[in-house]
Amino acid sequence: MDTPDRMTRRTLQVAALLARPAGPAWRNDPNRPMFAQMIAGRLLNEGQLPADLGLGEKPFAALCLHYFPGGSITLPKPAKPFHKEAMPEWDDIRQLLISHRSSYSNSELW
């Protein structure tokens, strides 16, 4: 049997995450598919985001519990660790995004 290509594996991973039984408030959040894409990419060891997506261990666990319940999600560490110190504008970009969000939901903070 052939191994699926990267995009097929990613699509299947996203579908599996979105099939998890999140509650109505979380299932219908427009950020849920984006989170599924980010997590799927890390599960496939793509990109350079940290294993907790840069959120910290507890916020990442809360995100997974709300949006993708039904089992723990452990992301692999990236081959090359991300250090926000290497990007001096990190805090400025984060603050800009937070100050211009459309509402005040946790998903926008995450």
Side-chain angles (χ1 to χ4, degrees):
M1 184 171 161
D2 291 332
T3 303
D5 67 9
R6 183 181 59 82
M7 289 306 292
T8 301
R9 290 190 316 262
R10 187 183 186 104
T11 300
L12 292 172
Q13 192 65 256
V14 168
L17 287 166
L18 293 175
R20 291 184 174 203
W26 307 101
R27 181 178 46 243
N28 298 322
D29 186 310
N31 288 319
R32 189 171 187 243
M34 178 200 52
F35 291 142
Q37 286 285 344
M38 293 170 73
I39 291 170
R42 287 303 304 124
L43 286 168
L44 296 170
N45 212 15
E46 298 173 349
Q48 297 299 315
L49 286 173
D52 60 9
L53 302 183
L55 299 174
E57 189 175 318
K58 287 183 182 181
F60 178 72
L63 181 148
C64 291
L65 177 67
H66 292 303
Y67 287 93
F68 311 107
S72 64
I73 298 173
T74 304
L75 301 181
K77 294 186 189 279
K80 181 181 174 191
F82 173 79
H83 298 287
K84 72 177 190 175
E85 298 81 24
M87 186 178 186
E89 47 290 286
W90 177 267
D91 290 327
D92 292 336
I93 292 171
R94 184 177 186 281
Q95 189 55 46
L96 179 70
L97 292 171
I98 288 172
S99 65
H100 290 86
R101 59 192 172 168
S102 63
S103 64
Y104 292 91
S105 71
N106 280 341
S107 69
E108 291 177 333
L109 294 175
W110 290 329

